[in-house]
Amino acid sequence: MPEGDSVWQAAGKLHTALAGQEVTRCDLRVPRFATADLRGRRVLEVVARGKHLLSRFEGGLTLHTHLGMEGSWRVFGAGERWRGGPGHQIRAVLGNAAHTAVGYRLPVLELLRTADEQGAVGHLGPDLLGADWDAEQALANLLTEPGRELGEALLDQRNLAGFGNIYKSEICFLVGATPWLPVGELPGPAAERLPALAQRALEANRDRPMRLTTGRRDQRHYVYGRAPRPCLRCGTPIRSADQGEPGRERPTYWCPHCQHGPAPAPAPRPR
């Protein structure tokens, strides 16, 4: 799943390729907007809001997209072969004289009035990479449901916008709590530093081609994707289990020694 830093990078690439240029090619391949035509309009800017992308056009229109689990925007030069998936997975094409942006597997695509953007993104909490970032508000949002599992609360974009599954596991490790610990049981000092840790982690990675949460290129992550390898701090084997509602489970990683709190029992070994 794309996280806030990768969506921020996608916005930057789209902005560089499209902003200030007149649209000469437009193809929105969803039934509701299949007849919409943005040709002749100039792209004003492309910005990220949490994990949402807002492409704004002159005349007060915004193309709102979300990458979901597998979506992507790719930018190609004039005459360059498109690469990103088969043609039936393309949901949007925006082009100008020099570049063409192609959106693949976009689960959310809607054209709306720029004045109505709040209807699409107004529910989001403080943006970890946005000008509206507010660590105190983000913590207050997280603590609204003290009995909720920390990992699930971090993924709820209404609390703070831009968090994804990788950062969920990594930030829980850095504050020493399992993702299954109720938010209200997070020790005060850990709770107070969590929003700042999260914001610094995304900000440090927003311009990197390869995400690092450890500061080490030989070991990119503390726990995410590392089960059953040894913890970088204590050597205990990293564990993994799914977390989330049925049908929306996410693979989750943690160190049973460095992180305190409840966790699923180890799966029984096959006989």
Side-chain angles (χ1 to χ4, degrees):
M1 173 188 289
E3 314 232 353
D5 51 4
S6 53
V7 176
W8 192 91
Q9 291 177 15
K13 291 177 181 178
L14 289 171
H15 182 85
T16 298
L18 302 177
Q21 303 297 315
E22 182 179 300
V23 176
T24 57
R25 180 172 185 175
C26 174
D27 186 3
L28 304 182
R29 300 182 184 180
V30 295
R32 184 180 173 189
F33 301 106
T35 60
D37 192 354
L38 296 168
R39 288 178 299 173
R41 295 178 185 264
R42 187 167 53 90
V43 177
L44 302 179
E45 61 181 347
V46 182
V47 300
R49 178 74 173 87
K51 296 197 287 185
H52 298 250
L53 285 163
L54 302 170
S55 303
R56 296 170 178 147
F57 300 81
E58 64 181 359
L61 291 178
T62 294
L63 184 65
H64 166 227
T65 59
H66 192 287
L67 303 183
M69 292 287 289
E70 299 178 348
S72 69
W73 276 98
R74 303 290 183 91
V75 175
F76 305 100
E80 186 179 358
R81 180 174 176 270
W82 298 355
R83 304 174 306 281
H88 71 267
Q89 294 182 347
I90 296 174
R91 295 292 176 266
V93 180
L94 294 173
N96 55 41
H99 297 98
T100 301
V102 183
Y104 291 88
R105 300 171 298 278
L106 302 174
V108 175
L109 186 154
E110 60 176 342
L111 189 63
L112 46 87
R113 296 197 319 165
T114 302
D116 296 334
E117 285 180 1
Q118 282 298 97
V121 297
H123 65 287
L124 299 175
D127 187 342
L128 284 152
L129 292 177
D132 71 320
W133 172 245
D134 184 330
E136 291 184 3
Q137 184 60 56
L139 180 57
N141 291 348
L142 289 169
L143 294 174
T144 299
E145 297 181 76
R148 194 176 189 187
E149 294 176 354
L150 175 60
E152 285 296 283
L154 289 173
L155 288 182
D156 189 335
Q157 303 298 298
R158 296 171 298 179
N159 291 331
L160 63 172
F163 236 84
N165 203 43
I166 295 175
Y167 283 114
K168 177 191 81 171
S169 292
E170 294 294 283
I171 296 302
C172 285
F173 175 82
L174 290 173
V175 298
T178 70
W180 290 269
L181 181 74
V183 177
E185 296 180 21
L186 191 64
E192 291 174 4
R193 67 191 183 99
L194 187 153
L197 274 174
Q199 197 272 338
R200 286 203 301 269
L202 266 77
E203 193 167 67
N205 282 292
R206 69 180 187 179
D207 294 317
R208 287 175 177 162
M210 181 179 295
R211 183 182 294 117
L212 302 174
T213 52
T214 63
R216 298 169 48 177
R217 294 190 177 276
D218 60 328
Q219 298 286 353
R220 294 171 54 196
H221 302 135
Y222 286 107
V223 292
Y224 186 84
R226 299 195 66 251
R229 287 177 285 172
C231 174
L232 298 179
R233 285 184 176 173
C234 72
T236 301
I238 297 299
R239 288 185 54 199
S240 66
D242 285 340
Q243 182 181 28
E245 301 173 359
R248 301 186 64 186
E249 303 94 334
R250 300 286 183 267
T252 301
Y253 301 83
W254 79 101
C255 172
H257 179 266
C258 294
Q259 294 171 254
H260 304 287
R269 294 182 179 180
R271 296 182 178 180

